[in-house]
Every structure is written in structure tokens, then in C-alpha cells.
């Protein structure tokens, strides 16, 4: 599997890039593992748009 890259603006960060990256990947029936950055509401919503379940471990 090739992992796509997402170029962000110079003043941006992974919070804006992760939802874009998730949209590019075929994640049906996949397990997604992300560090604590996934606690961000934008990223959680992006994951829920593809999956109906989400486990957050802190």
C-alpha cells in the first residue's frame, strides 16, 4: 500500500492535514491508529465520516 502525502500551508499543521489524508485512503474495514492528536474534534469527525465506531485511548 502506498501512503499518500498531503502538503499543507506553511502556517498549517497535522490537524488540518489528517482529515485530508483520511479522505484519500480506502479505510473501509480498516483499523486507524493515531496518537493523541486524534483528540481533536476535526480529526474525530473525519474518522466518523468513514467509520461508525471510534476508540480513543489516552
Amino acid at each position: 500500500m502506498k501512503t499518500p502525502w498531503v502538503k499543507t500551508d506553511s502556517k498549517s499543521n497535522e490537524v488540518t492535514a489528517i482529515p485530508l489524508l483520511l479522505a484519500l485512503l480506502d479505510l473501509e474495514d480498516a483499523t486507524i491508529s493515531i496518537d493523541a492528536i486524534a483528540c481533536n474534534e476535526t480529526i474525530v469527525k473525519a474518522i466518523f465520516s468513514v467509520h461508525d465506531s471510534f476508540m480513543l485511548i489516552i
Side-chain angles (χ1 to χ4, degrees):
M1 176 173 116
K2 286 188 175 181
T3 304
W5 288 54
V6 176
K7 183 174 171 122
T8 61
D9 295 330
S10 62
K11 303 248 181 205
S12 186
N13 58 31
E14 64 270 14
V15 173
T16 57
I18 290 173
L20 298 173
L21 183 61
L22 291 172
L24 294 173
L25 297 170
D26 177 16
L27 299 174
E28 188 172 339
D29 297 324
T31 300
I32 301 168
S33 176
I34 305 175
D35 63 5
I37 194 69
C39 296
N40 180 285
E41 182 179 359
T42 303
I43 295 171
V44 171
K45 286 181 178 180
I47 294 170
F48 272 130
S49 73
V50 177
H51 290 283
D52 58 358
S53 61
F54 179 76
M55 181 183 346
L56 181 61
I57 300 172
I58 302 175

